[in-house]
Amino acid sequence: LTYRNNGFITMLAPLRDHLSPKDPKSTSLLCTSKGRYFIRLSVKVDPGGPNFREARWIMSEDVNVEHLLDVFTKTDETSDDVWRACANFMEHLYWHKLRPVVLKPKIEELPDDHHLKPECLSQLAGLFDLVGNFAECKRLLSHALKIERERGRDLQVARRLYGLANTNRLLDLHQEGILQAEESLEILKRL
């Protein structure tokens, strides 16, 4: 029913689903698992950094982490640590195990005033970019850009514009991409 895998104890999915409690915050096992996974997800994934190889743990634990995030985004949808972990999870997948995530609808349902929504949208866009779904990547980045503009966060606006410029290049929308790249540069010059 459970087995040890690379230092983790993994439970078979049907059993895990059957044992899912109505209130995961009341279960010490889930809360402990959440804490351990969230700490491991908080390590910045930098391909040139010393922790990059250590972050490969996500390759064997991605399904468990995603299930945990799915549970806690249902019951603790306003929690910053849950949504930060969600963004970090997608960044880990981006570098170590590219695949779609079931969290997309939940990310899109977050209110636009949630301060981590643009980050989650951008990380999700990165996954779509790597699998070649540039239209979806553009849609997600455009939404993140709109939110960042409304918040007046110039550095983040410049980053989203840069991402959109690259995505538009891949979509053969060169003129639109050039305009976005130019706007991004102008913003960066002002900072």
Side-chain angles (χ1 to χ4, degrees):
L1 300 178
T2 63
Y3 60 96
R4 194 173 276 287
N5 184 4
N6 293 329
F8 293 94
I9 295 175
T10 300
M11 186 179 294
L12 297 174
L15 183 60
R16 184 177 58 226
D17 290 339
H18 176 72
L19 294 175
S20 292
K22 299 234 184 295
D23 180 14
K25 292 182 274 186
S26 68
T27 306
S28 63
L29 178 61
L30 274 181
C31 288
T32 301
S33 298
K34 173 188 166 195
R36 303 254 326 186
Y37 280 132
F38 285 17
I39 288 169
R40 295 204 72 184
L41 286 169
S42 69
V43 173
K44 186 72 176 150
V45 183
D46 176 9
N51 297 327
F52 188 71
R53 291 188 58 78
E54 291 175 26
R56 293 174 56 96
W57 65 271
I58 198 66
M59 295 170 70
S60 63
E61 290 299 307
D62 62 309
V63 174
N64 290 332
V65 173
E66 187 170 34
H67 180 74
L68 190 74
L69 285 167
D70 188 42
V71 167
F72 278 99
T73 54
K74 285 177 190 165
T75 60
D76 204 6
E77 59 272 336
T78 59
S79 172
D80 283 355
D81 68 329
V82 171
W83 291 106
R84 171 62 54 210
C86 183
N88 291 343
F89 170 66
M90 289 183 289
E91 183 179 21
H92 277 68
L93 290 180
Y94 179 90
W95 289 108
H96 293 293
K97 190 174 183 178
L98 182 61
R99 67 168 182 78
V101 294
V102 300
L103 302 167
K104 181 180 181 273
K106 291 180 180 184
I107 293 167
E108 292 187 306
E109 289 171 3
L110 265 177
D112 282 356
D113 63 353
H114 192 286
H115 75 281
L116 290 169
K117 184 167 184 175
E119 178 66 21
C120 288
L121 287 170
S122 296
Q123 292 293 346
L124 186 59
L127 295 176
F128 279 100
D129 176 59
L130 284 181
V131 297
N133 188 341
F134 305 123
E136 187 62 10
C137 177
K138 179 179 178 175
R139 188 184 72 74
L140 293 166
L141 283 175
S142 296
H143 190 172
L145 173 64
K146 175 185 169 281
I147 295 169
E148 298 291 19
R149 282 190 197 278
E150 290 169 357
R151 295 177 184 180
R153 298 179 60 199
D154 289 343
L155 179 58
Q156 297 303 324
V157 168
R159 286 182 174 166
R160 304 308 172 233
L161 284 166
Y162 178 78
L164 277 168
N166 187 54
T167 301
N168 280 320
R169 177 186 60 83
L170 296 167
L171 288 167
D172 289 327
L173 301 171
H174 300 289
Q175 191 57 39
E176 187 177 346
I178 290 169
L179 293 173
Q180 289 163 335
E182 288 172 348
E183 184 182 355
S184 178
L185 284 172
E186 287 301 315
I187 291 170
L188 291 173
K189 285 179 190 176
R190 290 193 311 258
L191 295 178

